[in-house]
Amino acid sequence: MSLIDKVSRILREAAAEAILPRFRNLTTRDVEEKSPGELVTAADHHAERLIGEQLLLLDPSARIVGEEACTRTPALADALDQGTVWLIDPLDGTGNFVSGRGPFSVMLALLREGETVAAWMLDPLSNQLHVAELGSGAQINGVPVVGDGKPDTLRTGSISTRFLPPNVFEAIEPRLDRVPLIVPPLLCAGAEYPAIAAGDRDFAVFWRTLPWDHLPGALFLSEAGGRVARWDGSPYRAGQDGHGLLAARTPDHWRAAHTALFD
C-alpha cells in the first residue's frame, strides 16, 4: 500500500471514530473557547491524537505538529522548514461543526525541509478525499483533477473578512465592484481550496495564513493548475510569518484578482 493510501486510511478512520459520532451530538462539555471567538471541541482533540499516533508508526523520526497541540505549546510550530514534519489540522471548520452544518475537513500536509510534498483534505460528510503530491498532480477519491488552463474572465470570488484588519478591508472595499460576484466564504479552508479548483469560485482572499489552514490546500490547488501566493506575489511556504494570501483557479485568474483588488 502506498503512503498516500496509508495516510488516507488513517484520516478516514479518525473521522469515523472521533468526528462523525459527535456531529450534531456535542454536549456543552465538548466545546470550549481556545481564544476569543475560536472554538475547539472534543472531536478536534480526539482526531488529532488518533492521527498523530498512527503517523508516528509510519515514520517514528518525523515530527508531529498538530494545530491543537500548538495552541497549548506554540513553540511546536517553530522550524517547520526543517526536517520531516506531519502538519495536522484535525477539524478545519470547527465553527461549522459546532453549529451542526458543513463544510468541515480533516487536513494534513507532509513537509520536507519546508516544502509541502503531499497533502490530504477529507470531507467526512461526503467522504470526498482531496489528495496532492508535489509534481504528481491532484486527485479526488483517486480521480485526477485536470485544470482547464483556459484564460477566462473573473466572475466570482470570496474574501474571508473574519481576521481582516479594518484598515485593510477599507482599502479593498472600494474595489469590490471590479469583481462581478463576491460570494460568502465557506469558513473552512479545506472546502474553499477544492471549490476553487472545481471552478465554483475563481479566487479566495485570506488574511490569516496559519500553516495547518493553508499548506494542504495550497499544494492541492497548485497541483490542480491554480496559483497560491502572498498578496505581493511572493511564494507561500512553511516557516514564514506574515499575512495575506490570494488563491486562484489559474495563474490568469490570480493576476486578474490581484489587479482588481490590490493594484
Side-chain angles (χ1 to χ4, degrees), residues 122-154:
L122 172 67
D123 180 339
L125 293 178
S126 68
N127 204 33
Q128 194 168 68
L129 180 65
H130 298 80
V131 173
E133 288 186 272
L134 183 64
S136 297
Q139 298 181 350
I140 304 175
N141 286 352
V143 179
V145 177
V146 181
D148 56 31
K150 298 177 182 177
D152 199 357
T153 56
L154 202 62

mmCIF file of all heavy atoms in Angstrom, residues 122-154:
data_model
loop_
_atom_site.group_PDB
_atom_site.id
_atom_site.type_symbol
_atom_site.label_atom_id
_atom_site.label_comp_id
_atom_site.label_asym_id
_atom_site.label_seq_id
_atom_site.Cartn_x
_atom_site.Cartn_y
_atom_site.Cartn_z
ATOM 1 N N LEU A 122 -9.927 15.750 3.776
ATOM 2 C CA LEU A 122 -11.057 14.823 3.782
ATOM 3 C C LEU A 122 -12.312 15.528 4.281
ATOM 4 O O LEU A 122 -12.321 16.111 5.370
ATOM 5 C CB LEU A 122 -10.757 13.630 4.692
ATOM 6 C CG LEU A 122 -11.924 12.670 4.952
ATOM 7 C CD1 LEU A 122 -12.330 11.932 3.671
ATOM 8 C CD2 LEU A 122 -11.571 11.670 6.063
ATOM 9 N N ASP A 123 -13.379 15.466 3.489
ATOM 10 C CA ASP A 123 -14.695 15.927 3.914
ATOM 11 C C ASP A 123 -15.413 14.726 4.523
ATOM 12 O O ASP A 123 -15.846 13.823 3.789
ATOM 13 C CB ASP A 123 -15.477 16.466 2.713
ATOM 14 C CG ASP A 123 -16.873 16.958 3.087
ATOM 15 O OD1 ASP A 123 -17.395 16.550 4.145
ATOM 16 O OD2 ASP A 123 -17.447 17.748 2.320
ATOM 17 N N PRO A 124 -15.549 14.666 5.855
ATOM 18 C CA PRO A 124 -16.156 13.476 6.463
ATOM 19 C C PRO A 124 -17.612 13.266 6.075
ATOM 20 O O PRO A 124 -18.090 12.123 6.087
ATOM 21 C CB PRO A 124 -16.023 13.747 7.973
ATOM 22 C CG PRO A 124 -14.892 14.714 8.092
ATOM 23 C CD PRO A 124 -15.022 15.593 6.878
ATOM 24 N N LEU A 125 -18.342 14.330 5.744
ATOM 25 C CA LEU A 125 -19.759 14.186 5.417
ATOM 26 C C LEU A 125 -19.965 13.540 4.054
ATOM 27 O O LEU A 125 -20.815 12.664 3.896
ATOM 28 C CB LEU A 125 -20.451 15.550 5.462
ATOM 29 C CG LEU A 125 -20.559 16.191 6.848
ATOM 30 C CD1 LEU A 125 -21.216 17.564 6.749
ATOM 31 C CD2 LEU A 125 -21.357 15.290 7.800
ATOM 32 N N SER A 126 -19.192 13.961 3.069
ATOM 33 C CA SER A 126 -19.334 13.398 1.724
ATOM 34 C C SER A 126 -18.373 12.243 1.472
ATOM 35 O O SER A 126 -18.491 11.550 0.461
ATOM 36 C CB SER A 126 -19.086 14.490 0.678
ATOM 37 O OG SER A 126 -17.714 14.897 0.701
ATOM 38 N N ASN A 127 -17.402 12.069 2.371
ATOM 39 C CA ASN A 127 -16.321 11.085 2.214
ATOM 40 C C ASN A 127 -15.453 11.393 0.998
ATOM 41 O O ASN A 127 -14.779 10.514 0.460
ATOM 42 C CB ASN A 127 -16.871 9.665 2.116
ATOM 43 C CG ASN A 127 -15.841 8.621 2.531
ATOM 44 O OD1 ASN A 127 -15.008 8.861 3.402
ATOM 45 N ND2 ASN A 127 -15.893 7.462 1.906
ATOM 46 N N GLN A 128 -15.464 12.647 0.573
ATOM 47 C CA GLN A 128 -14.647 13.055 -0.563
ATOM 48 C C GLN A 128 -13.254 13.411 -0.068
ATOM 49 O O GLN A 128 -13.095 14.237 0.827
ATOM 50 C CB GLN A 128 -15.288 14.244 -1.269
ATOM 51 C CG GLN A 128 -14.712 14.522 -2.645
ATOM 52 C CD GLN A 128 -15.560 15.502 -3.420
ATOM 53 O OE1 GLN A 128 -15.640 16.668 -3.069
ATOM 54 N NE2 GLN A 128 -16.210 15.023 -4.478
ATOM 55 N N LEU A 129 -12.243 12.781 -0.677
ATOM 56 C CA LEU A 129 -10.865 12.966 -0.253
ATOM 57 C C LEU A 129 -10.072 13.637 -1.365
ATOM 58 O O LEU A 129 -9.971 13.119 -2.487
ATOM 59 C CB LEU A 129 -10.225 11.618 0.094
ATOM 60 C CG LEU A 129 -8.766 11.665 0.549
ATOM 61 C CD1 LEU A 129 -8.631 12.414 1.869
ATOM 62 C CD2 LEU A 129 -8.198 10.251 0.676
ATOM 63 N N HIS A 130 -9.508 14.794 -1.041
ATOM 64 C CA HIS A 130 -8.665 15.539 -1.973
ATOM 65 C C HIS A 130 -7.210 15.299 -1.596
ATOM 66 O O HIS A 130 -6.818 15.541 -0.448
ATOM 67 C CB HIS A 130 -8.990 17.030 -1.907
ATOM 68 C CG HIS A 130 -10.396 17.359 -2.295
ATOM 69 N ND1 HIS A 130 -11.452 17.212 -1.416
ATOM 70 C CD2 HIS A 130 -10.915 17.820 -3.454
ATOM 71 C CE1 HIS A 130 -12.576 17.564 -2.037
ATOM 72 N NE2 HIS A 130 -12.276 17.939 -3.268
ATOM 73 N N VAL A 131 -6.419 14.833 -2.547
ATOM 74 C CA VAL A 131 -5.032 14.456 -2.299
ATOM 75 C C VAL A 131 -4.150 15.092 -3.367
ATOM 76 O O VAL A 131 -4.557 15.220 -4.528
ATOM 77 C CB VAL A 131 -4.869 12.918 -2.340
ATOM 78 C CG1 VAL A 131 -3.402 12.527 -2.256
ATOM 79 C CG2 VAL A 131 -5.638 12.278 -1.199
ATOM 80 N N ALA A 132 -2.947 15.497 -2.966
ATOM 81 C CA ALA A 132 -1.985 16.019 -3.933
ATOM 82 C C ALA A 132 -0.584 15.580 -3.542
ATOM 83 O O ALA A 132 -0.273 15.452 -2.361
ATOM 84 C CB ALA A 132 -2.052 17.543 -3.991
ATOM 85 N N GLU A 133 0.241 15.331 -4.548
ATOM 86 C CA GLU A 133 1.667 15.071 -4.367
ATOM 87 C C GLU A 133 2.443 16.055 -5.232
ATOM 88 O O GLU A 133 2.079 16.293 -6.389
ATOM 89 C CB GLU A 133 2.021 13.646 -4.784
ATOM 90 C CG GLU A 133 1.544 12.570 -3.850
ATOM 91 C CD GLU A 133 2.063 11.210 -4.266
ATOM 92 O OE1 GLU A 133 1.395 10.537 -5.086
ATOM 93 O OE2 GLU A 133 3.155 10.813 -3.804
ATOM 94 N N LEU A 134 3.485 16.611 -4.658
ATOM 95 C CA LEU A 134 4.282 17.592 -5.378
ATOM 96 C C LEU A 134 4.811 17.009 -6.689
ATOM 97 O O LEU A 134 5.488 15.987 -6.698
ATOM 98 C CB LEU A 134 5.447 18.053 -4.505
ATOM 99 C CG LEU A 134 6.347 19.141 -5.084
ATOM 100 C CD1 LEU A 134 5.568 20.434 -5.291
ATOM 101 C CD2 LEU A 134 7.548 19.381 -4.168
ATOM 102 N N GLY A 135 4.467 17.656 -7.783
ATOM 103 C CA GLY A 135 4.929 17.219 -9.092
ATOM 104 C C GLY A 135 4.158 16.084 -9.707
ATOM 105 O O GLY A 135 4.432 15.688 -10.852
ATOM 106 N N SER A 136 3.158 15.546 -8.978
ATOM 107 C CA SER A 136 2.410 14.388 -9.487
ATOM 108 C C SER A 136 0.930 14.666 -9.667
ATOM 109 O O SER A 136 0.164 13.760 -9.997
ATOM 110 C CB SER A 136 2.593 13.181 -8.547
ATOM 111 O OG SER A 136 3.952 12.792 -8.500
ATOM 112 N N GLY A 137 0.506 15.893 -9.413
ATOM 113 C CA GLY A 137 -0.883 16.247 -9.645
ATOM 114 C C GLY A 137 -1.771 16.089 -8.429
ATOM 115 O O GLY A 137 -1.324 15.737 -7.334
ATOM 116 N N ALA A 138 -3.038 16.367 -8.645
ATOM 117 C CA ALA A 138 -4.057 16.322 -7.593
ATOM 118 C C ALA A 138 -5.128 15.309 -7.968
ATOM 119 O O ALA A 138 -5.385 15.054 -9.155
ATOM 120 C CB ALA A 138 -4.671 17.705 -7.412
ATOM 121 N N GLN A 139 -5.760 14.716 -6.941
ATOM 122 C CA GLN A 139 -6.804 13.727 -7.159
ATOM 123 C C GLN A 139 -7.964 13.956 -6.200
ATOM 124 O O GLN A 139 -7.781 14.479 -5.097
ATOM 125 C CB GLN A 139 -6.269 12.313 -6.944
ATOM 126 C CG GLN A 139 -5.160 11.887 -7.874
ATOM 127 C CD GLN A 139 -4.715 10.453 -7.609
ATOM 128 O OE1 GLN A 139 -5.110 9.834 -6.620
ATOM 129 N NE2 GLN A 139 -3.892 9.919 -8.501
ATOM 130 N N ILE A 140 -9.131 13.542 -6.636
ATOM 131 C CA ILE A 140 -10.312 13.496 -5.770
ATOM 132 C C ILE A 140 -10.797 12.057 -5.769
ATOM 133 O O ILE A 140 -11.220 11.535 -6.813
ATOM 134 C CB ILE A 140 -11.428 14.436 -6.254
ATOM 135 C CG1 ILE A 140 -10.927 15.872 -6.373
ATOM 136 C CG2 ILE A 140 -12.625 14.361 -5.309
ATOM 137 C CD1 ILE A 140 -11.950 16.829 -6.953
ATOM 138 N N ASN A 141 -10.706 11.400 -4.621
ATOM 139 C CA ASN A 141 -11.064 9.980 -4.498
ATOM 140 C C ASN A 141 -10.384 9.149 -5.591
ATOM 141 O O ASN A 141 -10.994 8.264 -6.197
ATOM 142 C CB ASN A 141 -12.577 9.800 -4.537
ATOM 143 C CG ASN A 141 -13.247 10.243 -3.249
ATOM 144 O OD1 ASN A 141 -12.588 10.550 -2.262
ATOM 145 N ND2 ASN A 141 -14.563 10.300 -3.249
ATOM 146 N N GLY A 142 -9.118 9.465 -5.840
ATOM 147 C CA GLY A 142 -8.332 8.691 -6.784
ATOM 148 C C GLY A 142 -8.456 9.110 -8.233
ATOM 149 O O GLY A 142 -7.739 8.589 -9.090
ATOM 150 N N VAL A 143 -9.345 10.042 -8.541
ATOM 151 C CA VAL A 143 -9.536 10.504 -9.918
ATOM 152 C C VAL A 143 -8.732 11.782 -10.128
ATOM 153 O O VAL A 143 -8.902 12.758 -9.374
ATOM 154 C CB VAL A 143 -11.026 10.772 -10.213
ATOM 155 C CG1 VAL A 143 -11.201 11.277 -11.646
ATOM 156 C CG2 VAL A 143 -11.840 9.508 -9.983
ATOM 157 N N PRO A 144 -7.843 11.818 -11.124
ATOM 158 C CA PRO A 144 -7.021 13.011 -11.324
ATOM 159 C C PRO A 144 -7.859 14.258 -11.605
ATOM 160 O O PRO A 144 -8.876 14.200 -12.292
ATOM 161 C CB PRO A 144 -6.170 12.639 -12.549
ATOM 162 C CG PRO A 144 -6.143 11.147 -12.552
ATOM 163 C CD PRO A 144 -7.485 10.726 -12.035
ATOM 164 N N VAL A 145 -7.405 15.362 -11.038
ATOM 165 C CA VAL A 145 -8.025 16.666 -11.293
ATOM 166 C C VAL A 145 -7.241 17.317 -12.423
ATOM 167 O O VAL A 145 -6.027 17.491 -12.332
ATOM 168 C CB VAL A 145 -7.987 17.558 -10.043
ATOM 169 C CG1 VAL A 145 -8.579 18.926 -10.349
ATOM 170 C CG2 VAL A 145 -8.715 16.882 -8.895
ATOM 171 N N VAL A 146 -7.938 17.685 -13.471
ATOM 172 C CA VAL A 146 -7.297 18.302 -14.626
ATOM 173 C C VAL A 146 -7.850 19.713 -14.784
ATOM 174 O O VAL A 146 -9.038 19.892 -15.086
ATOM 175 C CB VAL A 146 -7.540 17.492 -15.913
ATOM 176 C CG1 VAL A 146 -6.833 18.162 -17.090
ATOM 177 C CG2 VAL A 146 -7.066 16.057 -15.737
ATOM 178 N N GLY A 147 -7.002 20.720 -14.542
ATOM 179 C CA GLY A 147 -7.435 22.089 -14.736
ATOM 180 C C GLY A 147 -7.573 22.388 -16.220
ATOM 181 O O GLY A 147 -6.820 21.863 -17.045
ATOM 182 N N ASP A 148 -8.567 23.239 -16.566
ATOM 183 C CA ASP A 148 -8.768 23.513 -17.987
ATOM 184 C C ASP A 148 -7.678 24.422 -18.553
ATOM 185 O O ASP A 148 -7.364 24.376 -19.733
ATOM 186 C CB ASP A 148 -10.146 24.114 -18.251
ATOM 187 C CG ASP A 148 -10.422 25.378 -17.447
ATOM 188 O OD1 ASP A 148 -9.464 26.119 -17.158
ATOM 189 O OD2 ASP A 148 -11.582 25.626 -17.113
ATOM 190 N N GLY A 149 -7.056 25.238 -17.677
ATOM 191 C CA GLY A 149 -5.951 26.079 -18.110
ATOM 192 C C GLY A 149 -6.329 27.161 -19.102
ATOM 193 O O GLY A 149 -5.460 27.828 -19.662
ATOM 194 N N LYS A 150 -7.620 27.338 -19.362
ATOM 195 C CA LYS A 150 -8.054 28.318 -20.353
ATOM 196 C C LYS A 150 -8.197 29.693 -19.716
ATOM 197 O O LYS A 150 -8.783 29.827 -18.638
ATOM 198 C CB LYS A 150 -9.389 27.887 -20.960
ATOM 199 C CG LYS A 150 -9.346 26.569 -21.704
ATOM 200 C CD LYS A 150 -10.731 26.185 -22.197
ATOM 201 C CE LYS A 150 -10.703 24.832 -22.907
ATOM 202 N NZ LYS A 150 -12.055 24.405 -23.339
ATOM 203 N N PRO A 151 -7.690 30.728 -20.373
ATOM 204 C CA PRO A 151 -7.918 32.083 -19.861
ATOM 205 C C PRO A 151 -9.415 32.358 -19.786
ATOM 206 O O PRO A 151 -10.182 31.953 -20.654
ATOM 207 C CB PRO A 151 -7.238 32.975 -20.903
ATOM 208 C CG PRO A 151 -6.266 32.085 -21.604
ATOM 209 C CD PRO A 151 -6.884 30.718 -21.595
ATOM 210 N N ASP A 152 -9.829 33.005 -18.750
ATOM 211 C CA ASP A 152 -11.246 33.281 -18.564
ATOM 212 C C ASP A 152 -11.383 34.593 -17.818
ATOM 213 O O ASP A 152 -10.462 35.031 -17.131
ATOM 214 C CB ASP A 152 -11.895 32.144 -17.751
ATOM 215 C CG ASP A 152 -13.414 32.107 -17.910
ATOM 216 O OD1 ASP A 152 -13.955 32.997 -18.596
ATOM 217 O OD2 ASP A 152 -14.028 31.198 -17.349
ATOM 218 N N THR A 153 -12.518 35.199 -17.958
ATOM 219 C CA THR A 153 -12.756 36.440 -17.231
ATOM 220 C C THR A 153 -13.046 36.125 -15.773
ATOM 221 O O THR A 153 -13.527 35.041 -15.432
ATOM 222 C CB THR A 153 -13.935 37.202 -17.836
ATOM 223 O OG1 THR A 153 -15.088 36.345 -17.848
ATOM 224 C CG2 THR A 153 -13.619 37.638 -19.255
ATOM 225 N N LEU A 154 -12.769 37.083 -14.931
ATOM 226 C CA LEU A 154 -13.011 36.931 -13.499
ATOM 227 C C LEU A 154 -14.506 37.048 -13.242
ATOM 228 O O LEU A 154 -15.142 38.036 -13.605
ATOM 229 C CB LEU A 154 -12.248 38.032 -12.755
ATOM 230 C CG LEU A 154 -11.919 37.795 -11.292
ATOM 231 C CD1 LEU A 154 -11.017 36.579 -11.149
ATOM 232 C CD2 LEU A 154 -11.245 39.028 -10.714
#
